[in-house]
Amino acid sequence: MIAMHFLQASVGWIRGLIAGQLGLAADALWVDLAIWLISALVILGVVQVGMLYATWLERKFLGRIQDRLGPNRVGIFGLLQPFADMVKMLTKEDITPAQAHRGVFNLGAILVVPPAIVVFAVVPVGIGLIATDLSVGFLFFISVASTAIIPIFMAGWGSRNKFAIIGAMRAVAQIVSYEIPQVLSVVGVLLLAGTLSTQGLTLAQGNGGAGDAIGYPGLWFVLIQPIAFVIFLLATTAEIERTPFDIPEAESEIIAGYHTEYSGLKFGLFQLSQYFMTIASAAMASILFFGGWLAPLPFLQRIGPLDLGWFWMGAKTIFFVLVFMWFRGTWPRLRSDQLMGFAWKVLVPLSLANLLMTGLIGYVTQSSTNLSGQPLLILLFFAVANALLLMATLWLIGWWRKNSERPRIRFEQAAAGELPPAEVAA
Amino acid sequence: MPAIPVWWYLMVATGLFSIGLYATLTRRNAVNVLMGVELMLNAVNLNAVALWRYASPTVSATVDGQSVQLLSTLDGQVFAIFVIALAAAEAAVGLALIIAVYRSRRTVELEQLDMLQG
Amino acid sequence: MSPLLLQQIAFMVLAAISLSGAWGVIRAHSVFVSALWLILSFVGVAGLYVMLEAGFLAVIQVLVYVGAISVLILFAIMLTEDVMGQAEPASQWPLAVLIVLPFFGMLAKAAFTADWQLSAGSVAPPEGASISAETAKLVTTAIPAEQGFRLPGQVVMLGRSLMTEHLLAFEVVAVVLLVALVGAIVIARD
Amino acid sequence: MSDNWGFIALFSLIALTVPIIGLLAAWLLRPHRPGPIKQTTYECGLETVGDTWLQFKVQYYLYALIFVLFDVETVFLYPWAVAYNKLGILALVEMFIFLAILAVGLAYAWRKGALEWV
């Protein structure tokens, strides 16, 4: 069991220190406010630095994938590149089109940032190291992230540009379509953990967490919910509009989508929020499926009195950020119809099936006493069920592809000689 | 213990409802009328939740050696959740109707939709 | 400054947000901007839910109203209205004012004078209300310090309540959603 | 109430100031030289033709519609999932009926081609 340790104790110490400085009792309102302010600024600082270096990491990593060096001129290994970019963004001229609806246009750029920051309030990095452990934590993340479509709409409409509005419509259609598999895939995990709190979800994957009660000691959810994990990862990639799901801003098709008209820092704000959301989604993937701040092996959890939760959380987050970048480096963009079809015809039914399976196994393992407390047997149960589900899915997709007539495009029809010559010429 | 008198919430709900009613009565655009209806539904929900919070019985219980005040039901929240679900269904069908009318009549101005007049 | 004052300020701000959002809906010149004001109003109401200790409902309000119903409204505007279209000034506003003002007065009077039988504040359990120790464990969010583990709180209670007392309504909602889906698809497609 | 929503309020305010401070800094640093040509609508250097408004296809609305109804479904799914351990077989059956009804909706939308991007 995780005991009180150094970091938690130090929170109390900081509390006393602040109270002493202000000359107040340790439980006064002002002390609370001061602590909130400090933790808000700390989160903001960490996230800002993380965002700056995520841009650097992306350029470096994509460079490596494409067999080139990436940024290497500003500072050693180009480490100062993010700051150079920042200076560039700040000093670029900012153009507002004369046609645009000024209020909506500017407000869209401003409002795109706060949701992407606020979601970090529920990311835990250790026992007691969470800004606010809401009992609805994960749902809070989902709903705050879902508000990001409003600024996108504002950007598209406010620009009064055809490309911007098309980009916004496509972006919103894509985001809402992938939100469903994203939320449905997680239900299995919630069912096993029995809580929505992000801290509780983390602890349920450790020894002595809530999972203990129904017999899953120390198992990361990725082991018993692999299909849910894959669905979540793909849906999240689409939610944050990263390649291969970046059709709304496909620069080779509709200029730059909803941020076509933005320049200077306002364009930067859209990029900023995308990187924030990338980091937040990576953090959420590691909380839900990879044990959050829990170490892979119990003895790696702390050195002496120092809890290493923040290290493991950071490492897992960076790992998932790299996974998102790796997607971008390797996969081509999907076609619009494939994109929407994939969400509704593959991911949603699959996550419903996964939910059904988890509910049944959860019920069986919980009601029969000889199964609980035997993690290996439960692991086996879920492994078999997941494998069966995967095979059934692949078989169904194959069967469906074989038996459904794909409407062939004119080019193919012409190649097969099915069109009259006159029409081919036209 | 709620420190704010309940009528503060009820007044906000009243204001929202009245504005929503005004919107449904005066706006010509059918989408705008629907927005008014959504405002009224929000007001109803706020009312229900406020009265649930203030009027549902609290019970003192001892949990882990601490005396805590508990609300004995969550009916207000359950009610509000059902209203939200029905509001979603209503908006979906209402807006589908507006779109269908627009496709045949090329307008969503309610005053021009008089095809039922003889 | 006391916690009470802070709460009252928070209430004022949230009430101002939701009411000004509603006001914007009827004052805005374009339907799109109207919809944006409506979203602001939804957010304000979510904040008021938080103040009423209905955290789950607040999150649901943001998820469904801000994240979903507003998308539906914005899409419908894009599909029907000339995007930059200017709404004409309201036509029957004197009549509407004549209806709305007395209505407002009536509701406001009722809010002040009605006997709501407020019981929050009563320390003793009221007649007939009983609560089991197990339920008590569910509702509270007290954290046993040495475990560092939070009990799930209200959400569990809600889940239970939906699956037991409100089961009929719960399944009826599923049917309503299905009918709405089918109906809307039939209506919206040509 | 131990849920710390006060922090969320404070954090939202701080998060809102981030882009505003950024834009103010940029406003101080950047050049201001607007021009009529510069401020035209961007369309790869060509002059904009016609209205900004495009006729969007109803497909967008159908996706939003199905999304909204499934979103409402998650509102009911989440409390169920969290309370699942304490409920037993009846809750499992009830939820499967609920999901089955909505799956019928999805199947209907699929058959009617509402999920096709045309």
Side-chain angles (χ1 to χ4, degrees):
Chain A
M1 198 59 240
I2 304 142
M4 279 278 284
H5 52 77
F6 179 72
L7 278 164
Q8 203 176 5
S10 67
V11 173
W13 177 75
I14 292 170
R15 200 177 180 86
L17 188 73
I18 294 168
Q21 285 292 319
L22 295 171
L24 294 164
D27 55 349
L29 177 72
W30 286 112
V31 183
D32 268 333
L33 284 179
I35 285 184
W36 289 355
L37 194 64
I38 290 170
S39 39
L41 293 179
V42 167
I43 297 175
L44 203 60
V46 171
V47 170
Q48 289 274 16
V49 172
M51 182 275 299
L52 287 175
Y53 279 95
T55 62
W56 173 83
L57 189 65
E58 172 140 43
R59 296 169 69 175
K60 213 66 184 166
F61 191 63
L62 282 182
R64 285 294 164 191
I65 287 178
Q66 295 158 2
D67 204 14
R68 53 190 177 81
L69 287 174
N72 60 352
R73 283 284 178 266
V74 198
I76 347 158
F77 304 121
L79 272 172
L80 294 176
Q81 187 67 43
F83 295 96
D85 289 342
M86 202 165 75
V87 171
K88 186 186 82 172
M89 283 288 184
L90 283 172
T91 52
K92 282 263 181 179
E93 186 177 358
D94 180 57
I95 303 162
T96 306
Q99 280 282 311
H101 188 297
R102 284 193 90 86
V104 174
F105 181 80
N106 291 330
L107 211 56
I110 291 174
L111 288 184
V112 79
V113 179
I117 295 178
V118 171
V119 290
F120 284 96
V122 292
V123 172
V125 287
I127 275 280
L129 281 181
I130 175 170
T132 164
D133 186 14
L134 299 179
S135 60
V136 288
F138 177 69
L139 204 54
F140 176 83
F141 170 81
I142 289 286
S143 59
V144 170
S146 76
T147 59
I149 50 183
I150 304 300
I152 290 177
F153 238 122
M154 290 167 80
W157 185 84
S159 304
R160 292 207 193 189
N161 179 316
K162 292 184 191 104
F163 294 97
I165 195 85
I166 294 174
M169 290 289 276
R170 282 193 191 181
V172 174
Q174 169 182 329
I175 291 175
V176 300
S177 294
Y178 278 88
E179 195 177 322
I180 297 303
Q182 193 191 22
V183 294
L184 284 183
S185 64
V186 181
V187 177
V189 168
L190 300 176
L191 200 144
L192 296 172
T195 178
L196 277 174
S197 128
T198 42
Q199 188 72 276
L201 283 164
T202 308
L203 286 167
Q205 299 171 64
N207 289 306
D212 228 13
I214 48 170
Y216 310 105
L219 285 183
W220 288 359
F221 283 131
V222 67
L223 294 174
I224 38 183
Q225 292 278 303
I227 292 181
F229 168 67
V230 173
I231 298 172
F232 181 81
L233 199 63
L234 291 177
T236 304
T237 316
E239 283 282 291
I240 53 180
E241 295 163 48
R242 291 184 60 87
T243 328
F245 303 100
D246 65 338
I247 289 164
E249 45 191 286
E251 64 272 14
S252 46
E253 293 169 30
I254 46 172
I255 313 182
Y258 52 85
H259 35 57
T260 298
E261 289 289 0
Y262 287 93
S263 54
L265 189 68
K266 280 185 214 147
F267 175 73
L269 291 178
F270 282 95
Q271 299 294 92
L272 188 83
S273 76
Q274 200 192 28
Y275 277 102
F276 281 149
M277 272 321 287
T278 307
I279 298 173
S281 307
M284 210 39 81
S286 40
I287 290 165
L288 288 168
F289 293 97
F290 278 76
W293 48 265
L294 293 171
L297 294 167
F299 63 90
L300 293 172
Q301 188 64 50
R302 64 175 72 83
I303 302 175
L306 181 67
D307 183 78
L308 289 180
W310 52 272
F311 170 78
W312 291 113
M313 189 64 203
K316 288 169 188 176
T317 305
I318 292 172
F319 170 74
F320 278 108
V321 169
L322 282 173
V323 168
F324 289 135
M325 290 170 184
W326 167 54
F327 284 176
R328 177 171 170 184
T330 29
W331 285 344
R333 189 180 297 137
L334 272 83
R335 216 170 60 204
S336 275
D337 61 326
Q338 293 170 334
L339 178 91
M340 302 304 264
F342 185 59
W344 288 108
K345 295 175 183 170
V346 180
L347 293 185
V348 169
L350 188 59
S351 47
L352 284 176
N354 177 64
L355 172 58
L356 187 98
M357 175 198 88
T358 313
L360 278 175
I361 297 184
Y363 179 73
V364 170
T365 53
Q366 168 202 352
S367 55
S368 93
T369 42
N370 49 359
L371 272 180
S372 61
Q374 298 193 27
L376 286 179
L377 207 55
I378 287 158
L379 199 60
L380 190 71
F381 243 100
F382 271 103
V384 171
N386 271 292
L388 285 176
L389 187 56
L390 189 65
M391 282 185 330
T393 312
L394 291 178
W395 181 80
L396 266 177
I397 292 177
W399 177 85
W400 180 65
R401 280 176 67 98
K402 208 163 62 188
N403 286 285
S404 66
E405 195 65 31
R406 187 168 65 89
R408 291 203 290 176
I409 53 177
R410 287 174 58 87
F411 181 74
E412 284 173 323
Q413 288 176 324
E418 288 169 10
L419 290 180
E423 232 182 278
V424 175
Chain B
M1 205 53 40
I4 294 166
V6 66
W7 62 266
W8 286 27
Y9 290 100
L10 299 185
M11 284 311 289
V12 175
T14 307
L16 283 180
F17 194 92
S18 303
I19 297 176
L21 184 65
Y22 182 83
T24 50
L25 289 176
T26 56
R27 301 318 293 261
R28 285 180 176 173
N29 189 308
V31 182
N32 252 326
V33 172
L34 212 88
M35 288 184 208
V37 175
E38 295 295 338
L39 273 179
M40 289 197 278
L41 285 171
N42 257 274
V44 169
N45 264 352
L46 184 58
N47 223 333
V49 177
L51 286 176
W52 158 73
R53 179 68 193 83
Y54 282 77
S56 74
T58 55
V59 178
S60 41
T62 314
V63 179
D64 296 324
Q66 284 182 315
S67 174
V68 284
Q69 289 287 311
L70 304 173
L71 288 162
S72 57
T73 68
L74 289 177
D75 287 350
Q77 281 198 61
V78 174
F79 177 83
I81 288 172
F82 282 126
V83 172
I84 288 180
L86 295 182
E90 170 253 0
V93 178
L95 292 167
L97 270 172
I98 293 171
I99 290 173
V101 168
Y102 176 79
R103 286 149 76 94
S104 65
R105 304 274 300 187
R106 289 282 138 193
T107 181
V108 287
E109 301 280 309
L110 288 175
E111 283 175 7
Q112 296 172 34
L113 297 178
D114 49 5
M115 45 199 140
L116 285 182
Q117 280 178 10
Chain C
M1 190 137 107
S2 65
L4 174 60
L5 184 63
L6 206 62
Q7 269 193 29
Q8 288 177 338
I9 292 173
F11 176 90
M12 293 294 183
V13 171
L14 291 169
I17 289 175
S18 32
L19 286 175
S20 60
W23 187 247
V25 172
I26 52 175
R27 296 310 302 164
H29 286 298
S30 109
V31 198
F32 187 89
V33 178
S34 239
L36 294 182
W37 282 109
L38 183 71
I39 293 163
L40 183 70
S41 181
F42 291 157
V43 173
V45 172
L48 290 173
Y49 288 157
V50 168
M51 297 209 63
L52 288 165
E53 300 185 22
F56 180 76
L57 188 62
V59 174
I60 289 307
Q61 165 95 359
V62 173
L63 185 73
V64 176
Y65 270 113
V66 181
I69 293 184
S70 60
V71 175
L72 216 54
I73 293 177
L74 292 175
F75 271 13
I77 293 172
M78 292 295 175
L79 258 65
T80 57
E81 182 69 357
D82 179 340
V83 181
M84 299 298 152
Q86 308 282 304
E88 290 156 53
S91 51
Q92 298 145 328
W93 68 267
L95 187 65
V97 166
L98 223 59
I99 295 172
V100 171
L101 271 186
F103 192 80
F104 177 81
M106 193 179 74
L107 284 182
K109 184 170 179 297
F112 276 117
T113 56
D115 174 21
W116 297 113
Q117 310 215 325
L118 301 183
S119 62
S122 74
V123 177
E127 212 66 45
S130 68
I131 186 163
S132 69
E134 194 201 356
T135 316
K137 263 213 174 302
L138 291 176
V139 222
T140 179
T141 41
I143 307 168
E146 77 284 358
Q147 283 184 353
F149 183 70
R150 163 183 289 280
L151 286 164
Q154 285 188 346
V155 188
V156 173
M157 272 278 276
L158 266 174
R160 274 190 154 195
S161 173
L162 283 174
M163 288 295 153
T164 52
E165 301 162 65
H166 303 283
L167 179 62
L168 181 66
F170 171 75
E171 298 293 349
V172 168
V173 161
V175 178
V176 169
L177 292 180
L178 173 66
V179 172
L181 182 72
V182 171
I185 288 176
V186 168
I187 295 169
R189 289 179 79 237
D190 17 22
Chain D
M1 190 173 166
S2 57
D3 275 1
N4 201 342
W5 289 97
F7 176 80
I8 300 283
L10 183 75
F11 198 39
S12 311
L13 280 182
I14 292 177
L16 191 63
T17 57
V18 169
I20 294 175
I21 290 174
L23 284 177
L24 280 180
W27 183 74
L28 289 174
L29 290 172
R30 66 172 192 233
H32 302 263
R33 276 184 288 276
I37 302 284
K38 216 184 249 178
Q39 285 178 295
T40 50
T41 301
Y42 182 80
E43 215 155 280
C44 309
L46 295 175
E47 264 181 62
T48 315
V49 179
D51 208 358
T52 314
W53 186 56
L54 306 161
Q55 175 69 64
F56 286 104
K57 50 194 181 186
V58 79
Q59 204 58 41
Y60 283 106
Y61 182 75
L62 293 182
Y63 279 122
L65 176 76
I66 305 167
F67 156 70
V68 167
L69 298 178
F70 271 83
D71 211 38
V72 171
E73 177 198 1
T74 57
V75 171
F76 293 98
L77 261 176
Y78 273 34
W80 167 77
V82 174
Y84 182 70
N85 286 339
K86 292 104 188 162
L87 287 168
I89 188 75
L90 202 62
L92 188 66
V93 174
E94 288 158 4
M95 185 43 82
F96 284 159
I97 296 172
F98 184 83
L99 285 179
I101 295 173
L102 281 153
V104 170
L106 185 68
Y108 176 83
W110 194 333
R111 279 210 70 112
K112 286 285 165 184
L115 302 180
E116 304 297 331
W117 182 272
V118 272

